[in-house]
Amino acid sequence: MARRAAAAHPAKARSEELIRAVKGTRDLLPPATALWNRVEEAARRVFHAYHYREIRTPVLEPTELFARGVGQETDIVRKEMYTFEDRDGSSLTLRPEATAPVIRAYLEHRLDQQPGIQKLFYIGPMFRRERPQKGRYRQFHQIGAEAIGSSSPAVDAEIIELLVEVLSRAGLEGFSLVLNSVGCPRCRPSYLERLRAELRGKAASLCADCRRRAETNPLRVLDCKVPEDQPAIASLPSLLDHLCSECREHFAAVRRMLAQRAIAYELAPRLVRGLDYYMRTTFEVVHGALGAQNSVAGGGRYDGLAEALGAKIAAPGIGFSIGEDRLVLALEEAGHAPSSCAPDLFIAAVGEAALEHAASLARRLRATGAAVELSFEPRLKRSLEIANRLGVGRVLIVGEEEIASGSYTLRDMQTGEQRSLCEEALWRLLAGGN
Ligand SMILES: [Zn+2]
Ligand SMILES: [Zn+2]
């Protein structure tokens, strides 16, 4: 009987051991979360202005969605997914990215029947079981957008403009855009044939991963990061020289429209996405502060994805995703981190009797939208110590005397100066006056 009880409460049996977060995941704590909120608010404002509307898909999806939508041969599907068997035997996966889920939802809810193209954005956690390293987490966050229903190069130009706008308004400086076209199912196969042939002659100077990719997914060899492979990779033929006339025209139009918008970019003929469904326009935003893994956002066109998911309708689309963890890291390194999370006003009640009065005063003042902290400590000296450690600028003292006279004592914590003022004056003060 005793043994069964212990088994039912395994935590009790090892109560001396502190439970920690899962390896590779992390808690985001205040005051750092203030910067996350600022980034997300800036993004939401820009999405609103470009008339992108929010979509929220589940973090759990059928494994098949990513096997088909992301590609069996990608590192993500081969070794990085959190996949498990559900109790009914079905295979589920924590989403490693959101484009395939968004397209799944688009098809499932027949959003193609809505007027115009669908412009959707998402903000949320993704999951990949990567090797833990600085700035990489197994639960990470993406801010992304998808424009579905058109293959026009004008949509490509606008979504790149949107990405640049979101990053700028979030406060990121000194980033650059790199651009490529990865062709289409008409022109890519013959290029891949040439690439395979070239790679056969270079197997000796390539890493083990590349030797495997050379047969299964030769395009991926182009973005191998192994330094020893670079001379061989640099000598491979460029996809840009092998585009069909439609892809060439499409890419020229995108470049013309970016120039019209005065959006600077660099051509990067070796830029391919890790995901199989990308075609034509492919882009990435890099930022110096992030070191070797300097990509802060990436995206591209995925006209074939809907068909890969079994759709009978065409759903050409293009999208991007921003690595929010990396964006926040870059902003922190540029000095955007909030220095404190002190409230606008700290109310210190003197004595138990004043606490109740202070509580209703706090409630009224909070209606201004100001952050008002109420000390639950009846001793003034102790309250002032707490306020000091919080870095509070102003403390309002509420005692018997103040309650009787209807005018409170406001203490400037920097100078120690005190003045008395009525509730109306407090309202004005918190509303931004003085
Ligand atoms: Zn083509
Ligand atoms: Zn390699």
Side-chain angles (χ1 to χ4, degrees):
M1 205 53 212
R3 184 178 293 169
R4 197 184 293 167
H9 301 282
K12 256 188 191 155
R14 307 170 61 186
S15 59
E16 74 283 1
E17 209 170 300
L18 198 63
I19 297 169
R20 296 179 171 277
V22 173
K23 186 178 177 187
T25 68
R26 60 170 172 166
D27 302 304
L28 299 172
L29 304 173
T33 41
L35 185 53
W36 286 76
N37 278 313
R38 221 152 68 200
V39 163
E40 288 167 18
E41 280 159 20
R44 284 177 188 279
R45 277 197 299 275
V46 179
F47 287 137
H48 173 78
Y50 281 77
H51 196 231
Y52 274 70
R53 293 171 303 157
E54 185 174 16
I55 181 167
R56 300 191 188 195
T57 62
V59 294
L60 271 182
E61 295 280 358
T63 302
E64 186 66 13
L65 175 65
F66 303 109
R68 269 156 64 179
V70 176
Q72 287 287 5
E73 181 48 30
T74 58
D75 285 351
I76 296 176
V77 173
R78 285 185 61 247
K79 48 193 182 193
E80 292 173 357
M81 293 207 305
Y82 277 100
T83 296
F84 59 94
E85 192 179 297
D86 199 1
R87 285 161 197 255
D88 65 0
S90 55
S91 182
L92 302 181
T93 293
L94 289 175
R95 62 180 185 191
E97 58 96 53
T99 299
V102 169
I103 296 298
R104 178 203 46 73
Y106 175 93
L107 297 169
E108 189 169 334
H109 302 286
R110 292 307 308 260
L111 298 184
D112 59 299
Q113 295 181 341
Q114 307 275 328
I117 64 171
Q118 285 295 301
K119 302 198 295 184
L120 304 164
F121 78 87
Y122 58 84
I123 297 176
M126 311 292 155
F127 305 84
R128 289 182 200 175
R129 205 174 187 289
E130 291 188 271
R131 207 158 42 81
Q133 47 187 312
K134 187 178 181 281
R136 292 264 190 174
Y137 300 96
R138 290 177 171 182
Q139 175 175 334
F140 57 102
H141 303 80
Q142 287 187 342
I143 300 174
E146 315 288 350
I148 312 158
S150 167
S151 51
S152 164
V155 179
D156 302 39
E158 190 189 77
I159 207 161
I160 291 172
E161 175 188 319
L162 171 65
L163 170 59
V164 167
E165 210 50 35
V166 168
L167 293 173
S168 307
R169 297 247 212 119
L172 192 69
E173 286 174 347
F175 59 86
S176 46
L177 175 69
V178 292
L179 187 70
N180 192 22
S181 172
V182 292
C184 72
R186 274 193 22 201
C187 52
R188 204 152 53 191
S190 61
Y191 169 73
L192 291 181
E193 268 323 299
R194 267 209 62 187
L195 195 57
R196 273 199 191 91
E198 293 262 346
L199 286 171
R200 254 169 239 134
K202 295 184 195 296
S205 39
L206 292 171
C207 70
D209 275 340
C210 281
R211 284 200 295 273
R212 196 194 67 246
R213 289 177 192 137
E215 290 308 318
T216 56
N217 189 358
L219 211 52
R220 290 295 318 282
V221 173
L222 296 178
D223 72 349
C224 174
K225 300 291 186 289
V226 174
E228 290 75 21
D229 286 19
Q230 298 314 309
I233 292 172
S235 67
L236 294 169
S238 167
L239 180 48
L240 281 182
D241 297 331
H242 294 80
L243 298 178
C244 65
S245 58
E246 281 91 343
C247 285
R248 260 202 318 272
E249 276 163 34
H250 191 274
F251 195 48
V254 173
R255 296 182 61 183
R256 196 173 61 241
M257 292 173 195
L258 290 178
Q260 276 164 2
R261 288 166 161 81
I263 293 174
Y265 62 87
E266 253 176 73
L267 277 188
R270 310 271 170 226
L271 177 68
V272 293
R273 307 296 306 170
L275 309 179
D276 288 347
Y277 51 67
Y278 282 105
M279 58 180 281
R280 291 191 175 158
T281 312
T282 299
F283 52 94
E284 206 166 86
V285 169
V286 295
H287 188 266
L290 298 168
Q293 300 178 348
N294 57 0
S295 167
V296 69
R301 181 162 277 289
Y302 46 77
D303 292 357
L305 175 56
E307 282 94 331
L309 297 180
K312 301 281 181 287
I313 54 166
I318 182 167
F320 66 75
S321 70
I322 297 170
E324 194 178 1
D325 303 73
R326 291 176 176 209
L327 173 56
V328 168
L329 180 65
L331 291 172
E332 280 170 350
E333 287 180 357
H336 286 268
S339 50
S340 95
C341 46
D344 301 315
L345 184 71
F346 186 92
I347 302 182
V350 189
E352 299 282 357
L355 250 176
E356 248 174 83
H357 182 95
S360 48
L361 174 66
R363 183 176 186 176
R364 293 193 298 275
L365 293 174
R366 282 166 174 159
T368 61
V372 176
E373 177 74 295
L374 178 63
S375 175
F376 297 104
E377 170 63 55
R379 286 170 303 161
L380 180 62
K381 186 161 177 287
R382 184 82 188 97
S383 286
L384 290 178
E385 278 168 18
I386 296 169
N388 220 357
R389 289 187 56 192
L390 283 175
V392 170
R394 300 181 287 222
V395 173
L396 192 72
I397 299 167
V398 180
E400 308 272 316
E401 220 173 281
E402 280 84 2
I403 296 169
S405 69
S407 118
Y408 306 101
T409 303
L410 187 73
R411 181 186 174 91
D412 184 315
M413 294 298 284
Q414 288 265 290
T415 63
E417 264 172 60
Q418 299 196 159
R419 59 177 164 138
S420 86
L421 70 181
C422 66
E423 186 171 335
E424 262 174 40
L426 271 173
W427 275 74
R428 282 199 300 276
L429 182 80
L430 291 180
N434 48 37

